[in-house]
Amino acid sequence: MNTDYFALLEKTLHYTKEYLDNIEAMPAFPEKASLDDLKQFEEPLPVAATQAARVIEALHTLGSKGTTAQTGGRYFGFVNGGLLPVAHAAQWLIDTWNQNSALYLMSPVASKLEDLCERWLAELFGLSKDTAAGLVTGSSNAIICALAAARNHICAKQGYDIKQNGLKNAPPIKIVTSEQAHSTVWTALSLLGFGVSEIDTAPVDDWGKIKLDKLPPLDANTILIIQAGNVVGGAYDPINELCDLAKKADAWVHIDGAFGLWAGASDKQSHLVKGIEKADSFSVDAHKTLNAAYDCGIVLCRNRQALTNAMQASGSYIPYSEERDNMLYTTEMSRRARGVVLWATLKHLGKTGIAALIDNLCAQTEDFADKLQNKGFVIINKPVFNQFIFKCELPEKTRQVLEAVQKSGVCWCGSGNWQGKPVIRVSVCSHRTTTADIDKSVAAFEKAYSYFSN
Ligand SMILES: *Cc1c(COP(=O)(O)O)cnc(C)c1O
């Protein structure tokens, strides 16, 4: 039985090598012909079986070309992270194990390593030692977990058990969040029963930071949601000051730091997140800045009990143990052992390597912005962390240039809207990005820029 199995894996390793060997030559976004080829996947639900080797072969020949070159050095779209070899390899091994990491009894190793990740992350971000961590698909889910903990905790403070008695008669909870909160914050709030019209939005300045003097009043029933890293432009809210105001009011502070919380792991960048240890909960992604494999979101909560109270599921067949049961910290029960991949990444890089990874992303970002400015582009905000936005003098030209560069396949940047005008967004997220990648990308923008001038 294993002979065919191993042959399949060996073939897959071969495809993997081919893909990785080609990654720098590959267009950052698939060419039209490759996109058209995806149509070849179309067919009715097959009735007959297909050999596994044929399925994987089709996946490689049609599928690999249909990917964005995200693991290369010139994909700057969204805030999609690259992939460190150690994370890739660890991912392979856990696929081999196929562990369900919900309970200690289902996977002792997943429990052990997630426990370590929890401690290491608290130390890395400078949070209190007992901070709880849950590993989820991404920040979208981490925000839900954190805000559920916050909501339930505020109700409990007033003697109200929301799990038992529901939302309808719950004491009023005030939500304050930035005008510029990430869309996933709004989704999480709506899932938790908070409608848009019930939410107090905090006005922001020209860069997207909450204005301290315009902050709506906070009280002990408030959840204040702030951000470490705006997805358009990178701005960090004034975390230290906001946490102080919230603490005075006894409000709960959640920090959405999906990519930006990692600033806390670099001495050069940690000024951006000064004061985070005063917040109550956090959401952050290891698949973004850390370049660990998708999908690996993290919810961190200073009050362990608040998180586990909100998340705990029960059932006579669920045997919790004395060891860590990972499902206590998240909305998910069955799930892959993403903690093992996270552990491998943290262990491989160490504190120094993590800081070096982050510092390199930030340095490449600055270099990118400087070089574009030298070529006549308008850099709208000075780079913050790994993000900046830029444009041409005229909105129409910004659109044309971006479209031409995207089509060229040399690099891929996304579009954005800043104060009503189109902008080009850059997120430098891959450990593979080198100065040569920046130079090639700048040259592509320069070429498009001069083309449209004529
Ligand atoms: C990416 C991102 C999210 C959502 O995270 P996912 O991992 O995609 O679920 C939330 N907030 C910010 C600021 C982000 O950059």
Side-chain angles (χ1 to χ4, degrees), residues 79 138-140 143 182 184 227 229 231 256 258-259 285 287-288:
V79 206
S139 282
S140 314
I143 295 168
H182 193 269
T184 52
Q227 94 177 308
V231 78
D256 172 16
F259 64 91
D285 283 324
H287 53 238
K288 289 182 177 168

Side-chain angles (χ1 to χ4, degrees), residues 65 100 151 164 206 239 346 355 417 443:
K65 293 187 299 183
N100 182 346
R151 182 195 66 181
Q164 179 63 35
D206 287 349
I239 294 171
L346 296 171
N417 202 296

Side-chain angles (χ1 to χ4, degrees), residues 116-174:
L116 267 173
C117 286
E118 179 179 273
R119 272 182 275 155
W120 289 1
L121 289 168
E123 186 182 336
L124 195 62
F125 293 128
L127 307 179
S128 88
K129 262 198 172 134
D130 193 42
T131 302
L135 300 186
V136 291
T137 49
S139 282
S140 314
N141 189 292
I143 295 168
I144 295 169
C145 296
L147 298 185
R151 182 195 66 181
N152 295 11
H153 178 73
I154 288 173
C155 287
K157 274 201 306 194
Q158 301 192 38
Y160 186 82
D161 179 350
I162 194 168
K163 282 178 96 168
Q164 179 63 35
N165 301 311
L167 260 179
K168 207 162 73 188
N169 299 310
I173 293 179
K174 188 169 167 172

